[in-house]
Amino acid sequence: MSRRTGARRRLGSIRLSLVLLALVPSVTLAAMWGVTTIQMFSEGLRLRDQTELSRSTGAMGTDATLALQRERSLSAAWLASPKGSRAALDAQRAETDKAVAKLVGQADAIEKAPSRISDRLYSVLGSVGSLEYYRDQVDDPTDITAQQALDQYSSIIDDQIHAFQELSQVDDGDLTSQAGPLVGLEHAAELVSREDAQLTLAWPTGHLDDQTWTQFTELVNTRRWLVKDQVVPQLTGSAKAQTEQILASRDWQTLQSVEDQVLAARNAGAAPDRIALPDAQKRWSAAMDTLSEQYAGLIQQQTTGLLQRSADKADALLLKAALLSAGGLLALLVCVGMSWRITRSLSRRLRGLRRAAVSLAQERLPDVVARLERGETVDPESATTELDYGHDELGQVARAFNTAQRTAVHTAVELADTRRGFQKIILGIARQSQNLVNLQLSKLDTLEREHTDPDILKGLYELDSTASQLRRYEENLVIVSGERPGRSWSEPVALMDILRSAVGEVAEYQRVEVLTEEEVYVAPPAVADVIHLLAELIDNATAYSPAPSPVTVRAGMVAKGLAVEVEDRGLGMSEEDYASFNEQLAVPPQFDVVALADDLRLGMFVIGRLAHRHGIAVTLRSSPYGGTTAIVLVPHEIVVREAPGVAVKGGDAPEDEKAAVNGRDAADTERSEAPRPAEASRGTEPAAGPTPEPRPLVAARTASATASAPREVVPRRDGLAPLPRRVPQTSLVEELREESAPAGDDGSLDDFTAEAAASSLAGFQRGTLRARDDDAEPPHEEEAAAVPRQAAAGPVPSTPPADR
């Protein structure tokens, strides 16, 4: 198998892993402590309960057994000699009733005992309940024989001995082994007592039948085997000494001697059903009285001792369980405390290291980058904070992190220096190119004023348009470098002029339709940037939509400012692309050479820079026509509602104002003020060569509006009277007016061509050249006559706002 590579699956955070590392052994130790404690306490409590049960039922059962044995012996004597005294029997019956009553009184304890014990004890209680019946048969035998009555006593005693044997089986092996000989001793005493009952019943007759002799023989052999092989070898201590003393006593020897005589009597007798008994009743009875007292005392003494040892053992087990539990709990608490302390220390150090890393990534390094972007000098050593986490593995990680953050800051400083150097190079190249472009535009302007040939003017205007686009591209480099374009205005500029200027900087300006009725102005500081921003959007719309589909520009005031929509009818983009571009436009873009190199749409970067410079919102969305609609929301702060000077309201200026224009020909003057589409966006800018005098932009309506639609007249900056509305081709010579006829008599612009525009502007150029002469030069008479012709001329289709 190949070695596993890559990151392994983690449980979660390192803090969680540390918590689990401390929690798992703690829970395990706690579980082990709990199980051990519960087990030890359970054993102690169970042994105590067994001891109490043995004391309440076993000991009392032993007393009842001894009492029943004595009553059985006296009952046998009464059955053998019914005419004797009953005093001893009646007294013993009273003692037996007391012992049995104590045993019956433990019914609740018997009920709680294990089934193996309770079954035996319930059998004893059931047998004791029938004791009165057998007593009646002893007093007056009618239903059963004497031997059957005595056998009932033996049955009750056997059940009690077996119950005592079950009680002796406790959870403690030592106590169980000690109880074994005691049970055997009690059983041996019962066998002797049965021998005595049989002999007592047979002494008056002087003989035994074969069956009774056989039972007697079994009792003797069983008792001798039990005492010799089971009881004596297992006894220890005082019990063994007392038992050996009893077995060595004269009375025991007498007992065994009589037993031997009875066992030998069968062989000596002639009739098997009448086995003669030896004349040893007095000796047997005397020995039995002595031995009964001895073994009864021995059994009671050993039973009491065993119960006491069991109680002591239970108490000792409980005490041991308590001590071990306390010690285990203390060890557990110490282990858990140390584990949690170590875990907390590691977690705290890890959190500190994490906070330091996050602080570097989210605060310090961005702050260093921001300072570098502001042009501040940053010392990499002072900008980083050394982390000290000791000399262990975490300390090594901290030292590696110190190296990493110093490297990161050094890299950021180096990248900033590289970026600033790169921006300076770009800016230097862009400024030099701007100077050359401005010089080219100035020279083109001069050539346009010197030539009147339509073909030459057409070429010059095409060069002029190309140079204007090139100037916009150079301004893109300036904006990318973080600087402002060189063009500037001193007064607000009308919205229509802004839109026309933006259209004039687009290569395919003929496809652009401008629709607006708003008479608002843009504040001077934002004029150049707004023109450039709109030009980029319009150029993007013409580039990504097929010719000759139109690109529509709409402008109007809304609640939050001035809204300008640029809509094309191209293929559009996916929703993901719209979301991506809108996300880029929503934040101030940063200069990134690699990112800009990967994204060929440099215009979006320029649009974002210009928009955020003035708080302009730019949003892209799909168009109902299938293309893209760019919405530009210019805030109220840079929108001027009123004209720079006092405006004339209510449509066209009066005819007398149109005729009196400081001694100039109204048409020539108007021609000198009207800018070309590209010229209107120049403003005031630095140039390597002579720069033409900045000319104010003239507000105009959209190309879709008719030429005769009224509009307000904006005062001139030089204090002169407002210019009259210009009617296209009014001031042209007759030849040029005839050439412009193909544009259509009905005012349609569908057939208007660049050749017609060049032809129309040839005459306009001549008027422009004359207007640029000295102001003191009086107008020519034939030019002065153009004013009446202008007023008399009917509506003629005007040149589209974006056309040359």
Side-chain angles (χ1 to χ4, degrees):
M1 286 179 68
S2 60
R3 268 185 85 180
R4 180 178 178 179
T5 59
R8 295 179 179 270
R9 176 176 293 180
R10 297 289 185 259
L11 294 176
S13 64
I14 296 181
R15 185 171 183 270
L16 177 59
S17 301
L18 292 175
V19 170
L20 291 177
L21 185 63
L23 184 62
V24 170
S26 300
V27 172
T28 304
L29 289 177
M32 294 178 61
W33 170 81
V35 171
T36 304
T37 300
I38 292 174
Q39 183 176 3
M40 295 182 67
F41 272 104
S42 298
E43 291 179 358
L45 293 174
R46 188 163 53 250
L47 183 59
R48 174 179 287 180
D49 293 339
Q50 292 172 349
T51 302
E52 293 298 327
L53 182 63
S54 299
R55 181 177 285 115
S56 60
T57 58
M60 294 179 184
T62 300
D63 293 342
T65 298
L66 294 175
L68 287 171
Q69 287 175 349
R70 286 191 293 271
E71 182 178 344
R72 180 179 58 188
S73 178
L74 292 174
S75 297
W78 171 255
L79 290 171
S81 303
K83 297 181 181 181
S85 175
R86 287 178 54 89
L89 177 60
D90 292 339
Q92 184 58 44
R93 284 181 176 179
E95 293 296 328
T96 302
D97 289 340
K98 292 180 181 179
V100 171
K102 290 181 179 179
L103 181 62
V104 174
Q106 300 298 321
D108 293 340
I110 294 174
E111 184 179 1
K112 297 177 180 178
S115 59
R116 61 184 180 84
I117 299 175
S118 61
D119 292 344
R120 293 286 185 179
L121 292 176
Y122 281 134
S123 178
V124 172
L125 296 179
S127 300
V128 169
S130 61
L131 185 60
E132 290 298 326
Y133 168 77
Y134 291 99
R135 284 176 177 177
D136 292 340
Q137 294 299 316
V138 171
D139 294 342
D140 186 13
T142 57
D143 298 332
I144 59 176
T145 63
Q147 187 61 45
Q148 290 175 338
L150 296 179
D151 288 341
Q152 180 62 27
Y153 284 96
S154 299
S155 176
I156 297 174
I157 294 172
D158 281 342
D159 288 341
Q160 175 57 35
I161 292 175
H162 284 97
F164 184 78
Q165 185 177 4
E166 292 294 339
L167 286 171
S168 66
Q169 303 298 318
V170 295
D171 295 335
D172 188 271
D174 187 24
L175 292 175
T176 300
S177 62
Q178 293 178 22
L182 181 59
V183 174
L185 185 61
E186 187 172 353
H187 189 61
E190 167 61 13
L191 294 176
V192 174
S193 180
R194 288 185 184 180
E195 293 176 21
D196 177 64
Q198 285 190 348
L199 291 177
T200 300
L201 186 62
W203 286 124
T205 62
H207 64 272
L208 295 173
D209 58 18
D210 186 67
Q211 181 180 1
T212 305
W213 181 86
T214 302
Q215 292 178 353
F216 181 82
T217 302
E218 291 178 354
L219 291 174
V220 172
N221 292 332
T222 302
R223 188 263 307 164
R224 288 181 178 181
W225 171 82
L226 185 64
V227 172
K228 181 180 179 182
D229 296 338
Q230 298 296 323
V231 176
V232 175
Q234 293 182 7
L235 289 174
T236 57
S238 61
K240 184 175 183 179
Q242 291 179 12
T243 302
E244 290 176 348
Q245 184 180 359
I246 292 174
L247 295 178
S249 66
R250 184 180 181 85
D251 294 327
W252 186 261
Q253 298 300 325
T254 300
L255 187 68
Q256 284 191 327
S257 175
V258 174
E259 290 175 345
D260 292 339
Q261 291 177 5
V262 173
L263 294 178
R266 182 178 182 182
N267 296 329
D273 292 336
R274 294 182 62 83
I275 300 173
L277 292 176
D279 187 13
Q281 181 178 4
K282 292 183 179 179
R283 289 188 296 124
W284 176 269
S285 297
M288 278 298 301
D289 290 341
T290 302
L291 290 175
S292 296
E293 293 294 332
Q294 288 179 348
Y295 76 69
L298 176 62
I299 291 174
Q300 289 179 338
Q301 179 183 358
Q302 292 301 317
T303 301
T304 303
L306 181 62
L307 292 174
Q308 185 61 43
R309 288 193 299 274
S310 179
D312 294 341
K313 189 67 174 287
D315 294 339
L317 188 59
L318 290 174
L319 179 61
K320 181 180 179 181
L323 293 176
L324 290 178
S325 176
L329 179 60
L330 180 61
L332 175 63
L333 293 177
V334 171
C335 179
V336 171
M338 291 182 64
S339 298
W340 282 104
R341 183 175 180 181
I342 295 173
T343 301
R344 184 180 178 184
S345 176
L346 289 174
S347 179
R348 184 172 59 252
R349 296 172 67 193
L350 286 173
R351 285 198 305 270
L353 191 59
R354 175 182 176 274
R355 283 195 298 266
V358 172
S359 175
L360 173 66
Q362 298 182 357
E363 297 176 7
R364 284 182 290 165
L365 196 56
D367 178 68
V368 169
V369 173
R371 291 167 57 190
L372 291 172
E373 289 180 351
R374 293 194 298 267
E376 300 180 11
T377 301
V378 176
D379 182 13
E381 298 299 329
S382 62
T384 57
T385 303
E386 291 290 330
L387 301 179
D388 186 9
Y389 281 84
H391 301 283
D392 58 359
E393 287 79 1
L394 280 181
Q396 296 173 4
V397 173
R399 288 193 292 273
F401 180 76
N402 292 333
T403 303
Q405 69 173 345
R406 283 195 300 269
T407 303
V409 174
H410 276 287
T411 302
V413 173
E414 292 175 358
L415 287 177
D417 293 339
T418 303
R419 184 170 61 249
R420 280 197 295 265
F422 186 72
Q423 287 177 330
K424 289 180 180 179
I425 293 174
I426 293 178
L427 182 59
I429 296 174
R431 290 301 189 192
Q432 293 176 3
S433 299
Q434 272 189 313
N435 292 336
L436 295 177
V437 171
N438 289 332
L439 180 59
Q440 181 181 7
L441 288 172
S442 177
K443 291 183 178 181
L444 286 173
D445 189 68
T446 302
L447 291 175
E448 290 168 359
R449 287 179 171 84
E450 292 177 354
H451 293 276
T452 59
D453 185 86
D455 294 332
I456 296 177
L457 285 175
K458 176 183 176 182
L460 291 175
Y461 286 157
E462 290 176 354
L463 291 175
D464 190 295
S465 176
T466 304
S468 298
Q469 297 172 46
L470 180 60
R471 178 185 58 188
R472 178 164 58 87
Y473 297 150
E474 297 297 335
E475 287 182 352
N476 284 349
L477 296 178
V478 175
I479 295 171
V480 167
S481 302
E483 298 293 333
R484 292 178 177 270
R487 293 183 289 172
S488 62
W489 278 260
S490 59
E491 292 186 4
V493 177
L495 171 62
M496 189 61 197
D497 292 333
I498 295 289
L499 299 178
R500 291 183 62 190
S501 299
V503 172
E505 295 189 2
V506 177
E508 300 184 48
Y509 57 86
Q510 299 93 341
R511 294 168 49 196
V512 182
E513 296 179 358
V514 181
L515 305 175
T516 182
E517 293 292 338
E518 295 292 342
E519 296 291 345
V520 294
Y521 302 83
V522 177
V527 170
D529 291 343
V530 172
I531 292 174
H532 197 122
L533 186 151
L534 294 176
E536 289 293 337
L537 290 175
I538 296 171
D539 184 66
N540 187 73
T542 58
Y544 288 94
S545 63
S549 63
V551 173
T552 306
V553 180
R554 301 181 184 89
M557 294 301 298
V558 294
K560 294 185 178 181
L562 174 62
V564 181
E565 295 184 3
V566 179
E567 182 179 59
D568 64 62
R569 300 188 181 184
L571 296 178
M573 297 184 294
S574 64
E575 294 298 329
E576 292 77 10
D577 290 337
Y578 283 122
S580 176
F581 279 117
N582 287 328
E583 183 178 358
Q584 295 176 17
L585 293 173
V587 296
Q590 298 296 327
F591 180 83
D592 190 343
V593 177
V594 178
L596 292 177
D598 291 339
D599 189 0
L600 298 179
R601 301 184 182 181
L602 181 61
M604 289 298 173
F605 180 88
V606 175
I607 292 170
R609 276 286 180 93
L610 296 176
H612 285 281
R613 184 178 296 172
H614 301 285
I616 300 173
V618 180
T619 306
L620 303 180
R621 68 181 186 184
S622 61
S623 168
Y625 298 103
T628 299
T629 299
I631 302 175
V632 180
L633 184 61
V634 181
H636 288 291
E637 289 76 8
I638 59 176
V639 177
V640 180
R641 289 283 189 164
E642 298 179 357
V646 180
V648 180
K649 300 181 180 180
D652 292 336
E655 293 296 331
D656 54 348
E657 290 186 5
K658 296 180 183 179
V661 190
N662 284 345
R664 292 188 180 182
D665 178 85
D668 291 340
T669 306
E670 198 278 342
R671 285 195 302 270
S672 67
E673 296 296 337
R676 295 187 304 275
E679 182 184 352
S681 62
R682 293 179 185 173
T684 304
E685 56 186 276
T691 303
E693 179 184 357
R695 290 166 289 176
L697 298 178
V698 179
R701 294 199 182 273
T702 176
S704 62
T706 61
S708 61
R711 69 176 184 86
E712 294 178 3
V713 181
V714 181
R716 293 167 54 94
R717 290 183 299 171
D718 54 5
L720 300 178
L723 295 176
R725 177 178 176 85
R726 180 174 65 89
V727 178
Q729 301 182 1
T730 302
S731 302
L732 297 182
V733 297
E734 294 294 336
E735 294 80 2
L736 292 180
R737 272 199 277 171
E738 291 175 357
E739 294 177 359
S740 62
D745 296 337
D746 56 353
S748 174
L749 301 179
D750 296 337
D751 298 328
F752 190 78
T753 62
E755 290 79 3
S759 178
S760 300
L761 290 176
F764 172 76
Q765 180 65 27
R766 289 193 296 272
T768 302
L769 293 176
R770 289 194 297 270
R772 291 184 179 277
D773 294 338
D774 188 23
D775 292 341
E777 182 180 350
H780 297 286
E781 296 179 0
E782 60 275 13
E783 293 176 347
V787 176
R789 288 198 303 269
Q790 176 184 358
V796 180
S798 61
T799 303
D803 289 344
R804 294 285 190 260

